[in-house]
Amino acid sequence: GVHDLLDALRTRSKVTRLDLSRNNLTKAASAFAGGFDNLRSLNLGSTFHAATSMRELVHALETAKHLTALNVANNSMAADDVPAFAEAIARLEIRELDVSGNRLSARGASALAGAIAHAVTLDVSNCRLTGSDVMALLAGAPELATLSLAGRNDASVVEAIAALLPEST
């Protein structure tokens, strides 16, 4: 199963990028990151679908010390899950983060803003954010160069972004 695959991959210490998206890892979440000393990029999009799995993910991130890119898109992450997730990634130097398709809400966006200081790329598409949520995220990511806000966000998001643009003369 997944545990056997991960054990086999761990013996290949050169693995820097691991894509486990669209796999059902609800019972194996804690196994994926440990032992991958060179792991820099981890894609777990559409992988977890339960609060228990998100708690395991948070625990597993504690062992992913060199991770710089993380995709947890479409994992049914609720606003209540985000503070613990944000605390876990705050210990890392995440440069690329994709949390698209999760319901972050104001509480989640606020928690995430405190954890993304190193982010250069952030995808919060379809997270049902408001303009205030986006402003909080922008304030928390001073190095941000790429921001994805596609779909299912509040109309105030466009207004908040427009307010940041220089006025044309």
Side-chain angles (χ1 to χ4, degrees):
V2 174
H3 288 284
D4 294 334
L5 171 65
L6 293 174
D7 287 342
L9 287 172
R10 276 189 196 89
T11 63
R12 298 175 182 268
S13 62
K14 295 181 181 180
V15 174
T16 60
R17 186 178 183 100
L18 183 58
D19 185 343
L20 294 172
S21 61
R22 298 188 181 124
N23 283 285
N24 184 4
L25 297 181
T26 55
K27 299 198 185 225
S30 60
F32 72 82
F36 288 100
D37 294 332
N38 292 318
L39 191 62
R40 303 293 185 267
S41 176
L42 182 60
N43 184 344
L44 296 170
S46 300
T47 302
F48 304 110
H49 300 288
T52 304
S53 299
M54 290 310 301
R55 284 191 294 274
E56 288 185 32
L57 168 64
V58 166
H59 178 70
L61 287 174
E62 294 173 5
T63 64
K65 295 176 178 27
H66 302 291
L67 204 60
T68 59
L70 179 60
N71 179 333
V72 291
N74 302 307
N75 275 314
S76 303
M77 187 186 313
D80 291 344
D81 300 321
V82 180
F85 171 75
E87 186 178 322
I89 66 168
R91 296 182 194 114
L92 305 170
E93 290 191 19
I94 298 293
R95 311 272 300 150
E96 299 174 32
L97 180 62
D98 184 345
V99 292
S100 62
N102 291 295
R103 294 185 182 193
L104 298 184
S105 80
R107 179 177 175 218
S110 176
L112 197 57
I116 57 173
H118 301 285
V120 175
T121 302
L122 178 62
D123 189 341
V124 289
S125 300
N126 298 304
C127 286
R128 301 179 185 205
L129 300 175
T130 66
S132 298
D133 300 336
V134 172
M135 297 305 286
L137 290 168
L138 290 173
E143 298 180 39
L144 196 64
T146 303
L147 176 63
S148 297
L149 290 165
R152 298 188 77 168
N153 291 307
D154 189 86
S156 63
V157 168
V158 174
E159 295 167 6
I161 297 300
L164 295 173
L165 299 175
E167 292 184 30
S168 59
T169 54

